[in-house]
Amino acid sequence: PPMSRRLEVNFADQVKLLGYDLGANRAEPGGGIPVTLYWQGLDWMGDDYTIFTKLLAADQTVHGGRDRLPREGYSTLYWSPGEVISDPFGVPVNSDAPDGVYFINVGLYKQVDGQAVSLPLVRDGQPIDASSVNIGPIKVGDASSGFTLETASPQTLLNQPFGDAPNLTLLGYDLTDETNQPVTNYQLPITNYQSLKLTLYWQSESILPLDYTTFVHLRNAAGQVVAQKDQPPLDGAYPTSLWNPGEIIADEIILSLSDELPAGEYQFVIGLYDFQTGQRLTVSGNPANEVKLTSVSIP
């Protein structure tokens, strides 16, 4: 069946979690999160497994979840190899859950002599030291505290829209050296530095359906990438699908530099893309869907 997020997670060569849908990625304490899991039997399981879901905060503490039978009673004993089971349910959020970004931890277990024994994950044909997978992210309450700014005063102003709506505006950026001093065009030689820090100031204009990854390229005059850094904004701590319209986010990216770069001019280029598909968030008027920032040079 169609699903919004593909996973293909193998549990002990007995069952596979194909993917999932999240009915909502925002919830309030005491509320719930609608989820549909898509399972596929790989072999006759021979046991009655329970599905567990735990609502995990960033510090791995549990603030919600439940244990249940698939489809509230369709025992895994009856799942045949190749059969696909859609499993809709709700994950409760504890009433005292603190504001934050959460993930739902999912796995299966059976009871053996009164103890819960989980199915291990299999990767490349071998069991690994894990028995669950995280899905999400989910924002509970006001998770923006500590991640957003009231105002932004970037060193270089851009006001560059991203997305068709638009979804985001790149207000501007700072470029600083290792001592946090501003760097401007042709102020370097960049061979004096092991790294540079680029701070991007984003403002959310509408809710994004995906969690995007930022790419930063340093390209030479021929357009070749000589240094690169890809990471989700805020290193994944506050994913883009959770940003609310109007929020301002400052994203710091450290770009390591080679000490063997030849003399010439180099340009910073940035953009956003979906990590699962590689498709970039559109930039109007730019077929490559990227934005060129400042240039630096090596004499």
Side-chain angles (χ1 to χ4, degrees):
M3 61 196 76
S4 58
R5 304 289 180 94
R6 286 273 178 181
L7 291 177
E8 304 289 336
V9 177
N10 185 328
F11 286 85
D13 287 329
Q14 295 190 54
V15 62
K16 182 184 288 185
L17 181 56
L18 298 176
Y20 66 96
D21 294 328
L22 276 180
N25 63 356
R26 289 162 169 78
E28 295 298 324
I33 304 155
V35 180
T36 301
L37 302 177
Y38 296 93
W39 302 95
Q40 184 173 38
L42 300 177
D43 194 2
W44 293 103
M45 299 185 69
D47 286 294
D48 190 15
Y49 281 90
T50 298
I51 297 171
F52 67 82
T53 54
K54 301 175 183 178
L55 187 63
L56 296 181
D59 62 0
Q60 301 302 299
T61 54
V62 178
H63 296 276
R66 57 186 291 223
D67 294 9
R68 48 180 290 281
L69 295 177
R71 295 193 64 87
E72 311 305 329
Y74 184 30
S75 171
T76 56
L77 283 167
Y78 306 131
W79 294 10
S80 60
E83 180 181 0
V84 175
I85 299 94
S86 62
D87 183 24
F89 62 103
V91 177
V93 181
N94 290 352
S95 59
D96 59 353
D99 294 347
V101 176
Y102 291 76
F103 285 85
I104 300 172
N105 185 250
V106 179
L108 303 102
Y109 69 89
K110 64 179 180 180
Q111 292 288 341
V112 178
D113 298 329
Q115 299 293 320
V117 178
S118 296
L119 278 177
L121 301 188
V122 171
R123 185 177 299 156
D124 299 325
Q126 297 296 322
I128 63 173
D129 188 23
S131 58
S132 60
V133 62
N134 286 343
I135 65 175
I138 296 101
K139 178 192 286 189
V140 173
D142 182 12
S144 62
S145 177
F147 296 132
T148 61
L149 304 175
E150 290 295 327
T151 60
S153 300
Q155 173 188 346
T156 301
L157 295 173
L158 285 181
N159 290 318
Q160 170 66 56
F162 278 72
D164 297 325
N167 302 103
L168 296 172
T169 298
L170 180 58
L171 300 176
Y173 64 93
D174 300 339
L175 183 63
T176 57
D177 62 20
E178 294 161 340
T179 63
N180 220 31
Q181 295 301 307
V183 171
T184 58
N185 287 25
Y186 301 99
Q187 180 178 324
L188 302 168
I190 61 176
T191 47
N192 291 347
Y193 304 94
Q194 294 182 331
S195 64
L196 294 174
K197 181 171 72 174
L198 181 67
T199 303
L200 303 174
Y201 293 90
W202 299 99
Q203 182 162 36
S204 178
E205 306 294 349
S206 62
I207 291 176
L208 286 161
L210 301 173
D211 295 321
Y212 282 95
T213 297
T214 306
F215 69 85
V216 177
H217 292 174
L218 186 65
R219 298 179 186 169
N220 61 19
Q224 298 170 319
V225 177
V226 298
Q228 178 176 353
K229 183 65 176 290
D230 292 34
Q231 69 179 40
L234 301 179
D235 210 16
Y238 190 37
T240 59
S241 66
L242 303 184
W243 295 2
N244 287 338
E247 289 182 344
I248 298 174
I249 293 89
D251 182 30
E252 295 184 355
I253 301 169
I254 305 297
L255 186 68
S256 298
L257 303 177
S258 169
D259 57 4
E260 299 178 355
L261 292 176
E265 184 174 313
Y266 296 85
Q267 186 162 51
F268 284 91
V269 181
I270 68 101
L272 295 162
Y273 67 93
D274 177 5
F275 184 80
Q276 292 191 353
T277 66
Q279 184 172 355
R280 293 182 178 181
L281 187 61
T282 58
V283 177
S284 179
N286 189 311
N289 295 319
E290 59 190 27
V291 174
K292 294 179 179 179
L293 306 182
T294 190
S295 295
V296 292
S297 67
I298 297 178

